[in-house]
Amino acid sequence: MAANMNKLDLRVRDALSAAEQRKRDDEAFVAGGDAKVWRSAPSAGVSKLVAEQLSHIGIDADALKRERAAARADSERRLTTQREDAVANSGGRAESVERILDDFRASFDDLVVSPGEATTHYQTLDSPLQIWADDGIDLESSSIQPYRSQAKVRMEASYYTSFFDAYLAGEERLLHFQYLWGNPRQDAPAVLSVNAVVALNGFCYAQSEGGVTGGGSALLDLEPTVDLIQAWTQPISSVPPQPAQSYRVARVEADSSGFFNDDQTTYAVVYRGVAVGCEQVFVPPGQYLIIDVALRFYSATIDGKVNADFATGLFSVQSPFVQLVVVFP
């Protein structure tokens, strides 16, 4: 990252730093403003009372606990088997993703025209300037190289309670790949169409705990996004949102809510590429646009947990390139 950053003038470095701080502030605000519900904890005798009532109707509370523990152990074994199978196949899936990305890039490269006086230009940004992650995402490693930039990350979220005690919360965390484009013309604005490609190869799961008097739930959404940050505004700001700026590629959800429900485990092998983008983006003469390509992790848990693994084996999150159509009116 340092080599790329050192090539930039102070104005651009300041803009990138401000953009990162703004994203962190925005995401801290979202996390701090999540809806929360807190139910008062029961008195010390409630659990005993429940056990007594179960006994009255012929249910052995201790036997029920043992049965649930055995079922959870079996569920963990099956989940481990599925995860190991996904890891074993991560190399083949990575090669397949590379072939798809190569074909996609080649189809766009065929459109490239010589700059000259043409009013429409096709450009590919093949490397981000920096890769970083919000708190709550374990960024194990990252690499920046043409058409091969990637990050290896893990994310886990959980919240467990006792009996009626419950906490409802949604948490949003992002992994960022930040690109930069500057309008080379000092005498004319540019109008851009931006398409950012994100490729995922990983394994995710959600687990919820069942219970006699009410179980939990767990949800995880994965959503590639692109945010276009206008470095020339004071303070810096994003372009107005457009529908194609984000796309949910996966949701894993487990739900054990209700009475006498079992634990539930849901998993997904996440293996796909997607393009997100914006159209008709105005960039003034000589100004810079920061293109923030991100993978959004949204989780909500009550007596459950979610886990996303994009680090084991050849698992990864890739942001290989951003494609631009630039028009000088």
Side-chain angles (χ1 to χ4, degrees), residues 182-214:
N183 184 350
R185 297 276 295 270
Q186 299 296 323
D187 60 342
V191 179
L192 272 63
S193 292
V194 178
N195 281 291
V197 175
V198 178
L200 307 178
N201 184 6
F203 185 87
C204 303
Y205 67 86
Q207 290 180 319
S208 58
E209 286 194 353
V212 175
T213 56

mmCIF file of all heavy atoms in Angstrom, residues 182-214:
data_model
loop_
_atom_site.group_PDB
_atom_site.id
_atom_site.type_symbol
_atom_site.label_atom_id
_atom_site.label_comp_id
_atom_site.label_asym_id
_atom_site.label_seq_id
_atom_site.Cartn_x
_atom_site.Cartn_y
_atom_site.Cartn_z
ATOM 1 N N GLY A 182 -8.678 10.194 -11.372
ATOM 2 C CA GLY A 182 -8.593 11.634 -11.515
ATOM 3 C C GLY A 182 -8.966 12.071 -12.917
ATOM 4 O O GLY A 182 -8.547 11.444 -13.899
ATOM 5 N N ASN A 183 -9.746 13.114 -13.016
ATOM 6 C CA ASN A 183 -10.093 13.683 -14.322
ATOM 7 C C ASN A 183 -8.833 14.331 -14.909
ATOM 8 O O ASN A 183 -8.321 15.313 -14.363
ATOM 9 C CB ASN A 183 -11.200 14.714 -14.154
ATOM 10 C CG ASN A 183 -11.677 15.273 -15.497
ATOM 11 O OD1 ASN A 183 -11.070 15.031 -16.547
ATOM 12 N ND2 ASN A 183 -12.772 16.028 -15.465
ATOM 13 N N PRO A 184 -8.315 13.799 -16.030
ATOM 14 C CA PRO A 184 -7.069 14.342 -16.576
ATOM 15 C C PRO A 184 -7.249 15.682 -17.283
ATOM 16 O O PRO A 184 -6.256 16.373 -17.549
ATOM 17 C CB PRO A 184 -6.635 13.262 -17.579
ATOM 18 C CG PRO A 184 -7.924 12.639 -18.024
ATOM 19 C CD PRO A 184 -8.824 12.674 -16.835
ATOM 20 N N ARG A 185 -8.496 16.027 -17.567
ATOM 21 C CA ARG A 185 -8.761 17.278 -18.288
ATOM 22 C C ARG A 185 -8.901 18.434 -17.307
ATOM 23 O O ARG A 185 -9.612 18.346 -16.307
ATOM 24 C CB ARG A 185 -10.050 17.139 -19.107
ATOM 25 C CG ARG A 185 -9.998 16.067 -20.192
ATOM 26 C CD ARG A 185 -9.358 16.576 -21.463
ATOM 27 N NE ARG A 185 -10.137 17.627 -22.074
ATOM 28 C CZ ARG A 185 -11.097 17.409 -22.976
ATOM 29 N NH1 ARG A 185 -11.405 16.169 -23.344
ATOM 30 N NH2 ARG A 185 -11.745 18.421 -23.515
ATOM 31 N N GLN A 186 -8.202 19.533 -17.603
ATOM 32 C CA GLN A 186 -8.314 20.734 -16.788
ATOM 33 C C GLN A 186 -9.339 21.701 -17.356
ATOM 34 O O GLN A 186 -9.671 22.707 -16.716
ATOM 35 C CB GLN A 186 -6.953 21.434 -16.709
ATOM 36 C CG GLN A 186 -5.857 20.582 -16.078
ATOM 37 C CD GLN A 186 -6.140 20.243 -14.629
ATOM 38 O OE1 GLN A 186 -6.681 21.068 -13.884
ATOM 39 N NE2 GLN A 186 -5.791 19.027 -14.226
ATOM 40 N N ASP A 187 -9.844 21.367 -18.554
ATOM 41 C CA ASP A 187 -10.752 22.288 -19.237
ATOM 42 C C ASP A 187 -12.155 21.726 -19.427
ATOM 43 O O ASP A 187 -13.005 22.380 -20.028
ATOM 44 C CB ASP A 187 -10.183 22.650 -20.618
ATOM 45 C CG ASP A 187 -10.005 21.427 -21.507
ATOM 46 O OD1 ASP A 187 -9.981 20.288 -20.957
ATOM 47 O OD2 ASP A 187 -9.891 21.581 -22.730
ATOM 48 N N ALA A 188 -12.412 20.501 -18.911
ATOM 49 C CA ALA A 188 -13.730 19.905 -19.152
ATOM 50 C C ALA A 188 -14.079 18.927 -18.042
ATOM 51 O O ALA A 188 -13.202 18.205 -17.538
ATOM 52 C CB ALA A 188 -13.746 19.175 -20.498
ATOM 53 N N PRO A 189 -15.344 18.862 -17.642
ATOM 54 C CA PRO A 189 -15.772 17.847 -16.679
ATOM 55 C C PRO A 189 -15.858 16.485 -17.358
ATOM 56 O O PRO A 189 -15.823 16.383 -18.588
ATOM 57 C CB PRO A 189 -17.156 18.341 -16.243
ATOM 58 C CG PRO A 189 -17.666 19.081 -17.436
ATOM 59 C CD PRO A 189 -16.459 19.731 -18.073
ATOM 60 N N ALA A 190 -15.961 15.457 -16.557
ATOM 61 C CA ALA A 190 -16.133 14.095 -17.071
ATOM 62 C C ALA A 190 -17.394 13.493 -16.460
ATOM 63 O O ALA A 190 -17.772 13.810 -15.329
ATOM 64 C CB ALA A 190 -14.929 13.232 -16.729
ATOM 65 N N VAL A 191 -18.041 12.634 -17.231
ATOM 66 C CA VAL A 191 -19.201 11.891 -16.750
ATOM 67 C C VAL A 191 -18.851 10.405 -16.816
ATOM 68 O O VAL A 191 -18.499 9.900 -17.881
ATOM 69 C CB VAL A 191 -20.465 12.189 -17.580
ATOM 70 C CG1 VAL A 191 -21.639 11.366 -17.058
ATOM 71 C CG2 VAL A 191 -20.792 13.678 -17.526
ATOM 72 N N LEU A 192 -18.924 9.718 -15.668
ATOM 73 C CA LEU A 192 -18.461 8.349 -15.564
ATOM 74 C C LEU A 192 -19.592 7.354 -15.364
ATOM 75 O O LEU A 192 -20.588 7.663 -14.697
ATOM 76 C CB LEU A 192 -17.504 8.188 -14.366
ATOM 77 C CG LEU A 192 -16.008 8.438 -14.568
ATOM 78 C CD1 LEU A 192 -15.753 9.882 -14.971
ATOM 79 C CD2 LEU A 192 -15.248 8.069 -13.307
ATOM 80 N N SER A 193 -19.398 6.161 -15.929
ATOM 81 C CA SER A 193 -20.134 4.963 -15.518
ATOM 82 C C SER A 193 -19.097 4.045 -14.880
ATOM 83 O O SER A 193 -18.031 3.800 -15.452
ATOM 84 C CB SER A 193 -20.797 4.282 -16.710
ATOM 85 O OG SER A 193 -21.836 5.081 -17.230
ATOM 86 N N VAL A 194 -19.416 3.544 -13.686
ATOM 87 C CA VAL A 194 -18.469 2.769 -12.900
ATOM 88 C C VAL A 194 -19.029 1.372 -12.670
ATOM 89 O O VAL A 194 -20.178 1.211 -12.239
ATOM 90 C CB VAL A 194 -18.204 3.443 -11.536
ATOM 91 C CG1 VAL A 194 -17.243 2.611 -10.695
ATOM 92 C CG2 VAL A 194 -17.666 4.855 -11.731
ATOM 93 N N ASN A 195 -18.222 0.348 -12.966
ATOM 94 C CA ASN A 195 -18.578 -1.033 -12.651
ATOM 95 C C ASN A 195 -17.430 -1.661 -11.868
ATOM 96 O O ASN A 195 -16.315 -1.767 -12.392
ATOM 97 C CB ASN A 195 -18.847 -1.839 -13.922
ATOM 98 C CG ASN A 195 -20.223 -1.560 -14.497
ATOM 99 O OD1 ASN A 195 -21.229 -1.928 -13.901
ATOM 100 N ND2 ASN A 195 -20.270 -0.888 -15.628
ATOM 101 N N ALA A 196 -17.706 -2.055 -10.649
ATOM 102 C CA ALA A 196 -16.695 -2.657 -9.784
ATOM 103 C C ALA A 196 -17.015 -4.136 -9.608
ATOM 104 O O ALA A 196 -18.157 -4.505 -9.328
ATOM 105 C CB ALA A 196 -16.673 -1.959 -8.431
ATOM 106 N N VAL A 197 -16.012 -4.966 -9.767
ATOM 107 C CA VAL A 197 -16.192 -6.415 -9.676
ATOM 108 C C VAL A 197 -15.685 -6.910 -8.317
ATOM 109 O O VAL A 197 -14.595 -6.535 -7.879
ATOM 110 C CB VAL A 197 -15.455 -7.130 -10.824
ATOM 111 C CG1 VAL A 197 -15.543 -8.645 -10.664
ATOM 112 C CG2 VAL A 197 -16.041 -6.704 -12.166
ATOM 113 N N VAL A 198 -16.498 -7.743 -7.662
ATOM 114 C CA VAL A 198 -16.122 -8.385 -6.403
ATOM 115 C C VAL A 198 -16.334 -9.886 -6.573
ATOM 116 O O VAL A 198 -17.385 -10.316 -7.056
ATOM 117 C CB VAL A 198 -16.962 -7.866 -5.218
ATOM 118 C CG1 VAL A 198 -16.584 -8.591 -3.930
ATOM 119 C CG2 VAL A 198 -16.788 -6.361 -5.050
ATOM 120 N N ALA A 199 -15.337 -10.678 -6.192
ATOM 121 C CA ALA A 199 -15.430 -12.137 -6.300
ATOM 122 C C ALA A 199 -15.224 -12.761 -4.920
ATOM 123 O O ALA A 199 -14.279 -12.412 -4.205
ATOM 124 C CB ALA A 199 -14.386 -12.667 -7.281
ATOM 125 N N LEU A 200 -16.105 -13.680 -4.555
ATOM 126 C CA LEU A 200 -16.088 -14.291 -3.235
ATOM 127 C C LEU A 200 -15.861 -15.795 -3.348
ATOM 128 O O LEU A 200 -16.419 -16.461 -4.226
ATOM 129 C CB LEU A 200 -17.413 -14.051 -2.505
ATOM 130 C CG LEU A 200 -17.905 -12.602 -2.402
ATOM 131 C CD1 LEU A 200 -19.240 -12.559 -1.688
ATOM 132 C CD2 LEU A 200 -16.893 -11.745 -1.688
ATOM 133 N N ASN A 201 -15.063 -16.314 -2.438
ATOM 134 C CA ASN A 201 -14.826 -17.750 -2.343
ATOM 135 C C ASN A 201 -14.667 -18.057 -0.863
ATOM 136 O O ASN A 201 -13.636 -17.746 -0.258
ATOM 137 C CB ASN A 201 -13.572 -18.142 -3.129
ATOM 138 C CG ASN A 201 -13.322 -19.641 -3.154
ATOM 139 O OD1 ASN A 201 -14.133 -20.428 -2.670
ATOM 140 N ND2 ASN A 201 -12.192 -20.044 -3.715
ATOM 141 N N GLY A 202 -15.721 -18.613 -0.237
ATOM 142 C CA GLY A 202 -15.650 -18.822 1.196
ATOM 143 C C GLY A 202 -16.778 -19.700 1.711
ATOM 144 O O GLY A 202 -17.533 -20.305 0.959
ATOM 145 N N PHE A 203 -16.890 -19.741 3.037
ATOM 146 C CA PHE A 203 -17.855 -20.599 3.719
ATOM 147 C C PHE A 203 -18.466 -19.812 4.868
ATOM 148 O O PHE A 203 -17.745 -19.199 5.659
ATOM 149 C CB PHE A 203 -17.160 -21.852 4.259
ATOM 150 C CG PHE A 203 -18.082 -22.863 4.887
ATOM 151 C CD1 PHE A 203 -18.697 -23.830 4.109
ATOM 152 C CD2 PHE A 203 -18.313 -22.858 6.261
ATOM 153 C CE1 PHE A 203 -19.542 -24.773 4.683
ATOM 154 C CE2 PHE A 203 -19.155 -23.798 6.848
ATOM 155 C CZ PHE A 203 -19.768 -24.766 6.059
ATOM 156 N N CYS A 204 -19.799 -19.830 4.975
ATOM 157 C CA CYS A 204 -20.499 -19.086 6.018
ATOM 158 C C CYS A 204 -21.536 -19.981 6.682
ATOM 159 O O CYS A 204 -22.086 -20.888 6.052
ATOM 160 C CB CYS A 204 -21.209 -17.862 5.444
ATOM 161 S SG CYS A 204 -20.139 -16.716 4.554
ATOM 162 N N TYR A 205 -21.816 -19.700 7.955
ATOM 163 C CA TYR A 205 -22.892 -20.435 8.607
ATOM 164 C C TYR A 205 -23.550 -19.581 9.677
ATOM 165 O O TYR A 205 -22.987 -18.593 10.164
ATOM 166 C CB TYR A 205 -22.383 -21.752 9.210
ATOM 167 C CG TYR A 205 -21.436 -21.638 10.367
ATOM 168 C CD1 TYR A 205 -21.908 -21.504 11.675
ATOM 169 C CD2 TYR A 205 -20.059 -21.683 10.172
ATOM 170 C CE1 TYR A 205 -21.027 -21.418 12.746
ATOM 171 C CE2 TYR A 205 -19.171 -21.594 11.234
ATOM 172 C CZ TYR A 205 -19.669 -21.466 12.528
ATOM 173 O OH TYR A 205 -18.801 -21.369 13.584
ATOM 174 N N ALA A 206 -24.768 -19.986 10.021
ATOM 175 C CA ALA A 206 -25.527 -19.361 11.103
ATOM 176 C C ALA A 206 -26.051 -20.472 12.006
ATOM 177 O O ALA A 206 -26.491 -21.518 11.515
ATOM 178 C CB ALA A 206 -26.686 -18.533 10.545
ATOM 179 N N GLN A 207 -26.007 -20.237 13.309
ATOM 180 C CA GLN A 207 -26.498 -21.209 14.275
ATOM 181 C C GLN A 207 -27.398 -20.510 15.283
ATOM 182 O O GLN A 207 -27.063 -19.431 15.776
ATOM 183 C CB GLN A 207 -25.339 -21.872 15.027
ATOM 184 C CG GLN A 207 -24.494 -22.804 14.183
ATOM 185 C CD GLN A 207 -23.363 -23.429 14.981
ATOM 186 O OE1 GLN A 207 -22.717 -22.758 15.788
ATOM 187 N NE2 GLN A 207 -23.105 -24.710 14.762
ATOM 188 N N SER A 208 -28.524 -21.139 15.583
ATOM 189 C CA SER A 208 -29.422 -20.618 16.616
ATOM 190 C C SER A 208 -29.684 -21.712 17.635
ATOM 191 O O SER A 208 -29.768 -22.893 17.293
ATOM 192 C CB SER A 208 -30.741 -20.142 15.997
ATOM 193 O OG SER A 208 -31.384 -21.201 15.291
ATOM 194 N N GLU A 209 -29.795 -21.318 18.891
ATOM 195 C CA GLU A 209 -30.053 -22.262 19.965
ATOM 196 C C GLU A 209 -31.551 -22.407 20.193
ATOM 197 O O GLU A 209 -32.273 -21.412 20.303
ATOM 198 C CB GLU A 209 -29.376 -21.819 21.260
ATOM 199 C CG GLU A 209 -27.878 -22.017 21.274
ATOM 200 C CD GLU A 209 -27.304 -21.889 22.669
ATOM 201 O OE1 GLU A 209 -28.062 -21.522 23.602
ATOM 202 O OE2 GLU A 209 -26.097 -22.159 22.837
ATOM 203 N N GLY A 210 -32.005 -23.656 20.272
ATOM 204 C CA GLY A 210 -33.396 -23.906 20.605
ATOM 205 C C GLY A 210 -33.608 -23.862 22.107
ATOM 206 O O GLY A 210 -32.681 -23.650 22.887
ATOM 207 N N GLY A 211 -34.850 -24.068 22.512
ATOM 208 C CA GLY A 211 -35.140 -24.045 23.933
ATOM 209 C C GLY A 211 -36.573 -24.421 24.208
ATOM 210 O O GLY A 211 -37.417 -24.468 23.301
ATOM 211 N N VAL A 212 -36.845 -24.658 25.462
ATOM 212 C CA VAL A 212 -38.193 -25.017 25.878
ATOM 213 C C VAL A 212 -39.104 -23.803 25.842
ATOM 214 O O VAL A 212 -40.228 -23.841 25.348
ATOM 215 C CB VAL A 212 -38.168 -25.632 27.287
ATOM 216 C CG1 VAL A 212 -39.583 -25.889 27.788
ATOM 217 C CG2 VAL A 212 -37.357 -26.916 27.284
ATOM 218 N N THR A 213 -38.614 -22.694 26.376
ATOM 219 C CA THR A 213 -39.455 -21.504 26.512
ATOM 220 C C THR A 213 -39.171 -20.447 25.460
ATOM 221 O O THR A 213 -39.590 -19.306 25.597
ATOM 222 C CB THR A 213 -39.242 -20.887 27.899
ATOM 223 O OG1 THR A 213 -37.849 -20.624 28.063
ATOM 224 C CG2 THR A 213 -39.727 -21.832 28.989
ATOM 225 N N GLY A 214 -38.462 -20.813 24.415
ATOM 226 C CA GLY A 214 -38.161 -19.842 23.367
ATOM 227 C C GLY A 214 -36.707 -19.901 22.974
ATOM 228 O O GLY A 214 -35.831 -19.884 23.842
#
